[in-house]
Amino acid sequence: MKYRIQVTDSAARAAAALSFRELLQQVCCPSFGRIGEERLESFGAMFFHPMERGELGRVIGKFKAACKLPPFIVSDMECGPGNMILGATKFPYMMGLSQTNSEALAFEAGKIAALEAGELGYNWTFSPVADLAADPDSPVVGMRSAGIRPEHAVKMASAYMEGLQKNGMMATIKHFPGDGYTSWDHHLTTPSLPLDKAAWFDGPGRVFQELIDRGAMALMPGHIALPAFDEPDERGLYPPATVSKRLLVDLLRGQMGFEGLIVTDAIEMGGIVGYMNYYDACAAALENGCDMLLFPRMDDRFYAEMERRAENGTLSLETMRNRAARIIALKEQFGLFRAGEAAPKPDLAAHEAVARQVVERSITVVRDREGIVPFPIGKETKVLHAVVMNNADRNEELLARMKQSLGGLSDHVEQWIDPGPDALFQAAAERRFDLIVCSIGSRLSYGLNVVRLHDEVARNMMGGWTKLGTPVIFVSHFHPFVHKEYEASIDTILNTYGDIACTVPLLVQGIAGERALNRNLYAHD
């Protein structure tokens, strides 16, 4: 059932009593990292980046004490709580969860995020990602997505969303009208979604519509243009959804019937502030359908610039009061004005068991042309672990676990990091090893632009060492589509969709045939 914000008289009165500065604060969600402890004010919401559990509890409590109205406490729990709350339960990324094909596990992951984060005071998450992983080179989507097929993405994302919202955590579907169809990054520029109306309604539009129909409480537009439903400006440029009345009001609110909260993506991303002036963008987002701004710079210049736009008519007081009243009404509906009971203590051991189950069911044999998996590894098996990963130094713990886990089976394990094609050629041609396990790929990282092997590290894929007779098993720990670029040269590849403490031991057990591996490409084409 669709969620609807119903503006009550009490919410309207509360908004009418706020000054212009207070209205601005209510419709803004800054980052605690930028605000700091010394400049806490009565903001409508606050986003907290990863910190230790105890420190988060302290600063969240301090922020709530500074607020006249109960605030939203926000983070980005796209795959359980552990990526944003250090020490909380960690899960693989959404595509790994999706590879289990289990709505029950997706619900449990959402529930666990809600319970562990709720204990600290969180009540809103910018998840799940509703984007489809259509372009393998997408620098933003990839393993954050539930997959490529709309029906499967709806199935898994809605289960995760339900687990969140049924346990006290407001969910946010993103990034409307859909990321993942281009290699352009809206952190840097304004991507254009290259679909006609029919294709959009059959693909990303279908996902967003079904999640709206199933009760999504909030939605985040991306700084992404959708020319099929919009018009270019005087420069011939199509506007990002963030400031497009045609997309947010006519399409999303009108045709699709979404009546929940609309929060911008970070308002300083290049996809919006490369399109128009920063302060004009803040005003235009609110005027054209958004309820809340994410990560505005809450300094004296911001307040002065927004007051100037109120004076010149580009940001009306009526709009500000409407947006603030909607936010306050949502807080009423969500129970933030009621004194709640103390959150129950989460059962972390049980949560870890669920995360392990997700890993067990998600590690996938994506391709195995010669049928070499499982590969028996005994004490005398000579194994090379080759690392062909950009920024391998950022993955020291993962690589150490790979060497340790392989070493638990064999007494003859070597690990080479970025060895170059000549060294790999000689090793394979001379049959120095019985098996080469190659960790390959790059992590998603905003600003990376295209998620592929790049620069000198990519040269490891030269030389033809994969075709010299030594069995090679590639493992992509993060990027789920490495196999698409290396269609011919990679004959065997496994995906893990992230790395938590139990991932590598379970991966190595699967390679060696000590446990079964998933061979169904639920989230792939």
Side-chain angles (χ1 to χ4, degrees), residues 244-473:
S244 172
K245 189 167 286 188
R246 287 183 178 87
L247 297 183
L248 296 184
V249 177
D250 299 344
L251 177 59
L252 179 61
R253 294 280 194 213
Q255 192 167 348
M256 300 176 74
F258 180 67
E259 297 185 71
L261 185 79
I262 300 178
V263 56
T264 74
D265 206 339
I267 200 65
E268 60 185 18
M269 288 165 61
I272 178 66
V273 295
Y275 175 80
M276 65 191 300
N277 170 274
Y278 175 89
Y279 301 104
D280 289 339
C282 291
L286 293 169
E287 284 290 343
N288 292 329
C290 292
D291 295 299
M292 181 171 277
L293 305 176
L294 178 61
F295 299 166
R297 297 174 179 268
M298 306 299 296
D299 53 20
D300 291 341
R301 180 179 295 172
F302 176 77
Y303 291 114
E305 291 284 353
M306 300 309 284
E307 287 170 0
R308 186 173 298 116
R309 281 151 183 80
E311 291 167 1
N312 68 24
T314 55
L315 178 60
S316 72
L317 188 59
E318 180 184 5
T319 293
M320 293 292 290
R321 286 177 175 159
N322 172 270
R323 305 303 187 250
R326 285 174 51 78
I327 291 166
I328 295 167
L330 174 57
K331 292 175 177 180
E332 289 178 342
Q333 288 172 219
F334 206 49
L336 299 193
F337 286 86
R338 297 192 298 269
E341 299 178 359
K345 196 75 175 173
D347 186 344
L348 297 181
H351 294 177
E352 290 287 349
V354 174
R356 182 183 177 89
Q357 189 177 357
V358 171
V359 175
E360 289 175 338
R361 295 177 60 174
S362 65
I363 298 173
T364 300
V365 181
V366 175
R367 178 186 295 161
D368 190 16
R369 290 177 178 141
E370 304 300 325
I372 66 172
V373 177
F375 189 98
I377 302 175
K379 287 297 182 182
E380 298 305 315
T381 306
K382 296 180 178 65
V383 181
L384 169 63
H385 178 226
V387 180
V388 181
M389 302 175 73
N390 287 105
N391 303 307
D393 58 326
R394 300 180 187 176
N395 300 297
E396 289 180 352
E397 291 184 8
L398 181 155
L399 301 182
R401 281 197 291 269
M402 285 291 294
K403 186 174 182 181
Q404 180 182 25
S405 295
L406 289 167
L409 299 177
S410 167
D411 291 335
H412 306 279
V413 176
E414 294 184 32
Q415 180 165 285
W416 297 356
I417 298 176
D418 187 19
D422 290 345
L424 289 167
F425 184 93
Q426 294 299 328
E430 296 170 7
R431 304 292 181 93
R432 290 189 225 160
F433 299 94
D434 301 306
L435 173 67
I436 298 175
V437 177
C438 181
S439 291
I440 189 171
S442 297
R443 288 177 182 260
L444 285 171
S445 176
Y446 79 87
L448 186 61
N449 209 28
V450 172
V451 185
R452 290 188 186 178
L453 290 176
H454 55 276
D455 215 0
E456 287 89 347
V457 170
R459 297 173 190 167
N460 282 276
M461 294 305 290
M462 297 170 62
W465 57 273
T466 68
K467 303 295 187 183
L468 295 177
T470 298
V472 183
I473 297 173

Side-chain angles (χ1 to χ4, degrees), residues 87-126:
T89 304
K90 293 193 73 172
F91 282 82
Y93 282 82
M94 175 57 79
M95 190 172 285
L97 187 59
S98 187
Q99 273 294 99
T100 70
N101 195 35
S102 170
E103 291 171 277
L105 283 177
F107 179 92
E108 283 300 308
K111 177 181 178 180
I112 287 167
L115 294 178
E116 292 192 26
E119 183 189 22
L120 295 175
Y122 285 99
N123 45 37
W124 187 10
T125 173
F126 295 151

